[in-house]
Amino acid sequence: MPGSISASCARSWASTKARAKRSSARSRSIRSSTAPRYGKGLSLVKLDRVEDAVAALKKVIELQPMSPYGYYQLAHVYHRLGDTERIVATIRRLSKFEPKVALQLERETGVDAGIEDPFRPGERAARKGS
């Protein structure tokens, strides 16, 4: 009986190790596919092809939805395009997991998306009043 327990543990360990390896490979794959798209988006903005940058930056967000970089650049692209509705939507989405970056975008774009600073409750009213 003791032999069967150690064999079971060995199989379990091998299975866990294989899952970790697959997960790590998947993670590397996402990072390697995101970086070129992010770079392409930034290059298109630099070349003043901001309309074309939207698709690349949206793909970055799709691949890494919890990374603020794509949202940050996309909000600035929308700002250059004069699309206030999309700036607000992007800032609000970002504020769900990166409120400080969302507040920074509000300041940089001059667009009030109604974001409350979770670290300074009530500051929203103070900023509006100034």
Side-chain angles (χ1 to χ4, degrees), residues 74-124:
L74 186 60
H76 278 288
V77 165
Y78 288 145
H79 185 252
R80 286 184 64 177
L81 293 171
D83 194 337
T84 306
E85 270 185 44
R86 286 196 171 139
I87 297 169
V88 169
T90 303
I91 291 173
R92 285 184 180 162
R93 202 164 152 206
L94 177 61
S95 75
K96 304 253 188 268
F97 63 94
E98 284 286 354
K100 292 243 181 211
V101 178
L103 290 167
Q104 179 181 339
L105 273 169
E106 273 191 335
R107 288 189 302 273
E108 290 177 2
T109 61
V111 174
D112 184 357
I115 304 303
E116 182 78 32
D117 187 340
F119 305 104
R120 296 184 185 166
E123 186 177 297
R124 174 103 236 119

Side-chain angles (χ1 to χ4, degrees), residues 6-56:
S6 64
S8 174
C9 286
R11 280 192 302 274
S12 177
W13 173 250
S15 172
T16 301
K17 201 169 153 184
R19 279 195 312 272
K21 202 174 199 177
R22 284 191 306 269
S23 178
S24 177
R26 201 169 31 250
S27 178
R28 279 193 307 277
S29 170
I30 288 172
R31 279 194 306 272
S32 66
S33 66
T34 301
R37 286 182 173 88
Y38 184 72
K40 179 181 179 181
L42 295 180
S43 296
L44 290 167
V45 169
K46 190 79 169 167
L47 293 169
D48 206 27
R49 294 175 48 196
V50 288
E51 295 90 359
D52 298 330
V54 171

